[in-house]
Amino acid sequence: MAKYTLYWGPKMGSAAVQAALIWADLPHQLVQVNFGNSEHKTAEYRAINPAGKIPALRLPDGTVLSESGAMMVYLSDLVPERGLLPGVTAAARAEALRWLFLFASEAYPAVLCAYHPENFVDGEAAKQSLLNQATATLDRLSDLFVQQALSKHKFALGDQLSMVDVYAVMLLSWHPALHDLCQRLPVIVGFYENVWADPRVHTAFTQHKLQQPPSL
């Protein structure tokens, strides 16, 4: 079977995609793109992903996907029997897509603003203000996730792990004040540990050097 190629970097959105590839049991290879050396801005990498973002996923037919959320949905639908996401006709599918789109549209941009404010504003005061706004957004989304999902279930969609949980924990690991968040919302600690405990997730998250479950 032809391989998938995941262009990845430590602490990048490729973490969840690698977990999906492992979970789906799809043959794949990893090609690291050095973000610190700006390899994502080179002509060579932009020929792969014109947006210059990490990750990118080359499919066996040569097609290249960008956007980690899209990759996870695509890979999940290739092997519905493995349960990465609810099937397209399942009632829980709508809820899964709702969380994935919310995280992709609000949480992911907030993380980028928090860690790279220089890409959006100039001046130290403006950068600090943007960091505060980004942190507030992540706090608000965490509150919503706890209230509407984790207060009812072990995982986002019930008692079974899904790619929604993998995506959520990846994004949580980038929260600028994760320890403070977990002190305020301790249910997140158990959730974080439960997701990390899955060996497929653990392998990918360790490879990507994501923050381990917080100790309070």
Side-chain angles (χ1 to χ4, degrees):
M1 183 182 293
K3 286 186 177 181
Y4 293 76
T5 300
L6 177 63
Y7 297 89
W8 75 287
K11 302 180 181 180
M12 297 283 181
S14 45
V17 182
Q18 185 187 359
L21 286 163
I22 295 170
W23 191 339
D25 197 25
L26 293 169
H28 60 277
Q29 61 183 354
L30 303 177
V31 176
Q32 186 169 353
V33 181
N34 193 317
F35 187 85
N37 289 344
S38 297
E39 288 183 7
H40 61 298
K41 297 180 180 179
T42 64
E44 181 181 12
Y45 185 68
R46 286 188 180 273
I48 297 168
N49 183 1
K53 294 181 179 180
I54 306 169
L57 180 67
R58 187 184 299 278
L59 309 185
D61 67 359
T63 302
V64 176
L65 288 182
S66 61
E67 305 305 324
S68 56
M71 296 175 206
M72 289 190 297
V73 173
Y74 176 79
L75 295 172
S76 298
D77 289 348
L78 286 179
V79 286
E81 69 279 5
R82 292 192 174 271
L84 282 74
L85 287 175
V88 293
T89 60
R93 175 73 171 204
E95 187 70 2
L97 293 179
R98 173 227 179 179
W99 285 117
L100 289 176
F101 277 67
L102 181 62
F103 292 151
S105 63
E106 292 200 46
Y108 216 125
V111 168
L112 294 177
C113 288
Y115 285 93
H116 300 285
E118 70 280 0
N119 292 338
F120 304 96
V121 295
D122 295 318
E124 292 308 311
K127 291 177 184 178
Q128 184 61 52
S129 177
L130 187 59
L131 171 60
N132 294 342
Q133 293 175 46
T135 302
T137 295
L138 293 170
D139 285 345
R140 174 177 55 80
L141 293 174
S142 298
D143 287 341
L144 186 68
F145 189 54
V146 167
Q147 293 165 7
Q148 298 192 1
L150 300 185
S151 65
K152 304 174 184 177
H153 311 293
K154 180 178 180 180
F155 296 112
L157 305 178
D159 293 329
Q160 298 298 317
L161 180 74
S162 75
M163 289 308 300
V164 174
D165 306 297
V166 177
Y167 200 40
V169 168
M170 180 183 74
L171 292 166
L172 278 173
S173 75
W174 297 331
H175 192 291
L178 180 59
H179 187 272
D180 293 343
L181 177 70
C182 289
Q183 283 192 317
R184 186 170 65 81
L185 298 172
V187 68
I188 286 178
V189 177
F191 169 68
Y192 207 108
E193 292 173 345
N194 289 334
V195 175
W196 263 87
D198 185 278
R200 301 160 298 193
V201 178
H202 191 278
T203 296
F205 281 10
T206 301
Q207 171 87 30
H208 279 76
K209 300 181 181 179
L210 295 189
Q211 185 170 331
Q212 293 276 352
S215 175
L216 299 181

